[in-house]
Amino acid sequence: MTMTLAEKIFMSHLKDEPFPGTKVLNIDAVLCHEITTPVAINDLVARGKDRVFDPEKIKVVIDHVSPAKDTKTAIQGKIMRDWARRHNIRDFFDIGRNGVCHAIFPEKGYIRPGYTVIMGDSHTCTHGAFGAFAAGVGTTDLEVGILKGVCSFRAPETIRVNINGKLPDGVYAKDIILKVIKTLTVKGATDCVIEFRGDVVKGMSMESRMTLCNMAIEAGGTSGICMPDETTVGYLWPFISSDYKDKSAALADFKKWWSDEGCKYVKVLDIDVSTMQPQVTYGYKPDEVKDISEMEGTPVDQIYIGSCTNGRIEDLRVAAAYLKGRRISPLVRGVVSPATPRIFRQADEEGLIKIFMDSGFCVTNPTCGACLGMSNGVLAPGEVCASTTNRNFTGRMGKGGMVHLLSPAVAAVTAIVGKIADPRKFKKETI
Amino acid sequence: MKTYGGKVLFLDRSDINTDEIIPAKYLTEISKEALKPHMLEDFKFEGFNPQDQSLSEAKVIVTRSNFGCGSSREHAPWVFEVNDINVVIASSFARIFRQNMFNCGMLAIELSEKAIDELFAHRGADALISIDFDNDKLTMTSSRSSKTFDYQIAEFDKALVKAGGWVEFADLKY
Ligand code: SF4
């Protein structure tokens, strides 16, 4: 029988099928952050079930509001710290060592092909970039994950998205995923896994694959997924080198997870990127997407570069290449949040931090920050932000504010002009 | 088990997301009760006023497609729960929201778009919905008429509701 990657993971992790159509899976990694986990911890304590199934498989970060902004967020952090100590959870990333969850956990090598990953966060789908089945869950599912190391799912169907052609200059993974969401709509992938295939994906870095998979949820998808290949091996090599005799042995092992030839897809989408323009959202749903030619000139008040979608080193490099030697418009404010301390340090060593600061950007510590309007970078009512994040819902970045989702390249040139601008019309400097 | 059914709140839009149901800024609350006054605070829709008295009497929400899309926050079902709304009826749900509802012992009922249209036809006419959980039926009664609909929920989700949620079910079984 032929199977998709997701089906293979389901088969290998199946613990129980309590009712037809419901699969209870063993979970390899339960990821936690300080917004959705404290409620789960408190509930477990209240139920007299303050246990963890395996402290080694639980990874914790404080990322959403960091450092704490008030008493309430300080308490959330404290609940996490006390709990991690109580249960000897050692992979705990506190302030100073912390970064945006979906950037820092892959960076630490916690995600492997064939893994099942859950987190109380909808963008957990990001980790599918490694050939894992990675799904966002609510607090109760997280609680059961912590307690028992299992989670229930309906058997997923897979949508295959073939991305081929030659990526034009100024067009990036973010533009591709916005186009995919526009095509599928915000509900088009509900209860499905989105499998990203094709030459463009093969040629992408892990960072770009994470950008693609990150926004699978914006089309309703349970997980994004990519086939684990040489690039995956290369990224993970520091963590797996003692498990394999060489890289080709690791690759051969990873390939067992690949979707079989002739497996069943519920839908196949073909996207040719050769003539694609940069993409920008115009409304309050992530499928409300237009070509940049229709959006150019839209005034903005703030530019935000960061988040689990586009706060990684290659995103900062792209933005800096446009910003080098230029100043941002005095009519806008720019905020950049490198997603992890390692990315921050690397950006510093490569001179990117200086470029951002010279151009007039504010550089913050690694945090979710403006992405969900909970701490720094909140918009005033009526204000507009050009943002590299993943959600443009009403009020997402502050009550009455509006967000245009776009790539780091578009964000950078928009900062320079003060209005949404087309990176294809700007010269990139070498950095 | 919780009690299901009662007065209806109609939300005539698709793709209502969890940020609209409960804005992110309230996610720093540790107690469910603290969420109560903020239900649907950022939901902008003509004729909808989150301060409306009738909101506090509603026990059931009837809405369109892809309800609960967006973030994984279980605060969305919770804000309904603490406002005594334990049933949402829609033509489709986002996966995480749907599972969160059943995991908390609440009902996310899917009906066809046609059936949803019929429910909406009762808007503004003192609509009441009663739920016959054991027989998978719901009845809409209003000053206009009364009609019963069959619905289907997964056996697993039904078992969760009976067990009082997923934590108890899983801790016993696994
Ligand atoms: S960066 Fe934004 S979308 Fe990503 S985990 Fe943080 S709040 Fe969520």
Side-chain angles (χ1 to χ4, degrees):
Chain A
M1 205 183 87
T2 57
M3 283 188 283
T4 62
L5 200 170
E7 284 166 345
K8 289 183 185 184
I9 295 177
F10 266 60
M11 201 178 75
S12 61
H13 287 73
L14 189 65
K15 174 156 184 100
D16 187 24
E17 193 162 351
F19 297 96
T22 301
K23 315 266 189 189
V24 174
L25 303 185
N26 290 313
I27 303 300
D28 296 311
V30 178
L31 312 178
C32 301
H33 67 54
E34 90 282 15
I35 298 297
T36 51
T37 317
V39 258
I41 295 169
N42 283 357
D43 194 60
L44 285 171
V45 171
R47 289 173 191 266
K49 297 181 197 292
D50 181 21
R51 295 175 260 134
V52 304
F53 83 111
D54 182 350
E56 303 270 313
K57 291 185 176 166
I58 299 176
K59 316 288 179 188
V60 186
V61 70
I62 292 179
D63 62 350
H64 277 56
V65 183
S66 164
K69 63 167 174 148
D70 55 13
T71 306
K72 281 178 180 165
T73 49
I75 291 172
Q76 288 183 309
K78 181 167 163 43
I79 293 171
M80 301 295 280
R81 290 181 194 106
D82 291 348
W83 172 70
R85 282 180 200 146
R86 196 155 80 227
H87 295 290
N88 209 13
I89 297 167
R90 265 169 288 173
D91 294 320
F92 182 91
F93 300 96
D94 208 334
I95 293 165
R97 304 177 293 284
N98 62 348
V100 177
C101 47
H102 309 306
I104 201 161
F105 292 131
E107 193 184 276
K108 298 286 173 191
Y110 296 151
I111 316 300
R112 305 289 166 78
Y115 264 26
T116 48
V117 182
I118 61 165
M119 182 172 197
D121 192 285
S122 60
H123 295 101
T124 307
C125 49
T126 312
H127 308 283
F130 291 83
F133 174 77
V137 297
T139 298
T140 304
D141 274 337
L142 176 69
E143 227 174 297
V144 170
I146 289 169
L147 189 64
K148 292 284 166 182
V150 299
C151 194
S152 82
F153 292 98
R154 295 185 184 179
E157 295 185 302
T158 300
I159 295 174
R160 178 173 170 146
V161 180
N162 298 315
I163 305 167
N164 288 300
K166 189 179 172 318
L167 208 52
D169 205 35
V171 180
Y172 298 90
K174 179 64 162 284
D175 303 300
I176 300 175
I177 188 61
L178 286 172
K179 187 88 172 185
V180 169
I181 296 161
K182 179 183 185 178
T183 312
L184 287 173
T185 79
V186 286
K187 52 175 174 272
T190 302
D191 285 314
C192 294
V193 166
I194 307 179
E195 188 176 297
F196 296 101
R197 303 291 293 264
D199 291 340
V200 175
V201 183
K202 268 190 214 144
M204 272 182 185
S205 63
M206 288 312 298
E207 282 82 357
S208 289
R209 293 179 195 181
M210 284 190 256
T211 302
L212 283 186
C213 290
N214 176 268
M215 292 188 73
I217 181 71
E218 307 311 333
T222 306
S223 182
I225 229 162
C226 298
M227 302 301 115
D229 61 6
E230 294 84 352
T231 308
T232 322
V233 173
Y235 185 101
L236 289 175
W237 190 244
F239 310 102
I240 60 173
S241 56
S242 57
D243 303 341
Y244 298 99
K245 96 175 173 315
D246 55 24
K247 286 188 179 173
S248 50
L251 181 62
D253 186 36
F254 285 5
K255 279 198 167 169
K256 69 172 184 257
W257 293 109
W258 282 40
S259 294
D260 296 323
E261 279 301 319
C263 63
K264 194 172 152 282
Y265 293 103
V266 63
K267 187 179 206 165
V268 179
L269 205 68
D270 287 296
I271 295 200
D272 186 342
V273 298
S274 307
T275 56
M276 192 185 278
Q277 292 191 24
Q279 304 289 301
V280 179
T281 64
Y282 61 88
Y284 293 97
K285 294 195 296 164
D287 61 355
E288 294 177 332
V289 175
K290 284 184 177 169
D291 286 344
I292 193 143
S293 54
E294 292 179 73
M295 294 297 293
E296 254 186 296
T298 309
V300 302
D301 302 287
Q302 174 169 292
I303 289 86
Y304 184 64
I305 300 176
S307 87
C308 56
T309 321
N310 281 125
R312 298 187 182 80
I313 190 69
E314 72 174 28
D315 302 313
L316 303 188
R317 284 186 193 132
V318 167
Y322 288 102
L323 289 169
K324 189 176 178 185
R326 297 191 171 105
R327 302 264 322 154
I328 69 173
S329 158
L331 299 177
V332 298
R333 49 192 195 266
V335 180
V336 55
S337 302
T340 69
R342 186 163 115 188
I343 295 166
F344 196 119
R345 193 183 295 271
Q346 205 173 343
D348 189 31
E349 283 163 9
E350 293 179 16
L352 312 183
I353 299 293
K354 183 169 184 320
I355 295 173
F356 281 115
M357 293 186 76
D358 287 348
S359 74
F361 260 82
C362 159
V363 184
T364 82
N365 62 305
T367 175
C368 292
C371 176
L372 81 170
M374 278 182 82
S375 53
N376 44 7
V378 177
L379 301 175
E383 285 193 324
V384 178
C385 183
S387 178
T388 70
T389 54
N390 47 37
R391 282 208 172 123
N392 54 349
F393 297 159
T394 327
R396 172 80 178 178
M397 205 175 273
K399 206 177 179 73
M402 178 178 196
V403 172
H404 295 288
L405 304 176
L406 32 72
S407 75
V410 177
V413 298
T414 297
I416 296 164
V417 178
K419 298 181 168 117
I420 290 181
D422 185 343
R424 296 172 304 171
K425 297 179 181 167
F426 287 74
K427 194 173 160 289
K428 256 200 291 192
E429 303 295 329
T430 41
I431 46 169
Chain B
M1 267 173 48
K2 300 187 188 333
T3 54
Y4 305 104
K7 285 201 175 176
V8 185
L9 170 65
F10 291 94
L11 300 177
D12 196 0
R13 215 198 74 198
S14 288
D15 306 317
I16 295 175
N17 65 60
T18 52
D19 278 74
E20 292 172 300
I21 297 168
I22 180 80
K25 61 174 180 260
Y26 302 118
L27 304 186
T28 57
E29 300 294 349
I30 301 289
S31 90
K32 294 183 185 179
E33 225 25 65
L35 304 172
K36 195 168 176 174
H38 307 297
M39 179 171 76
L40 292 162
E41 193 173 286
D42 275 354
F43 177 62
K44 300 264 182 318
F45 195 68
E46 217 184 294
F48 178 81
N49 171 12
Q51 256 69 53
D52 200 334
Q53 251 334 93
S54 68
L55 223 71
S56 63
E57 294 169 9
K59 305 273 185 258
V60 178
I61 288 174
V62 171
T63 183
R64 299 289 179 180
S65 70
N66 197 31
F67 186 80
C69 60
S71 102
S72 65
R73 66 190 70 156
E74 205 157 302
H75 306 66
W78 295 339
V79 74
F80 293 143
E81 188 183 17
V82 294
N83 280 288
D84 234 4
I85 295 172
N86 287 317
V87 185
V88 181
I89 304 168
S91 60
S92 66
F93 291 95
R95 178 191 64 89
I96 306 175
F97 177 85
R98 183 189 66 214
Q99 201 56 50
N100 286 345
M101 288 286 283
F102 290 114
N103 283 348
C104 294
M106 299 159 77
L107 303 181
I109 297 175
E110 276 177 2
L111 290 180
S112 69
E113 279 178 23
K114 189 171 154 281
I116 294 286
D117 283 341
E118 289 184 51
L119 295 183
F120 268 98
H122 291 257
R123 191 169 19 175
D126 285 334
L128 279 178
I129 285 181
S130 60
I131 309 272
D132 178 354
F133 180 77
D134 290 323
N135 297 303
D136 302 319
K137 283 182 198 308
L138 66 90
T139 304
M140 166 68 97
T141 316
S142 77
S143 54
R144 279 187 203 134
S145 64
S146 163
K147 183 163 180 186
T148 298
F149 299 82
D150 291 315
Y151 64 82
Q152 266 193 331
I153 56 180
E155 276 183 80
F156 173 67
D157 295 331
K158 236 180 148 169
L160 293 183
V161 172
K162 282 194 192 141
W166 173 223
V167 179
E168 294 305 325
F169 183 100
D171 201 25
L172 262 179
K173 202 164 152 68
Y174 303 113

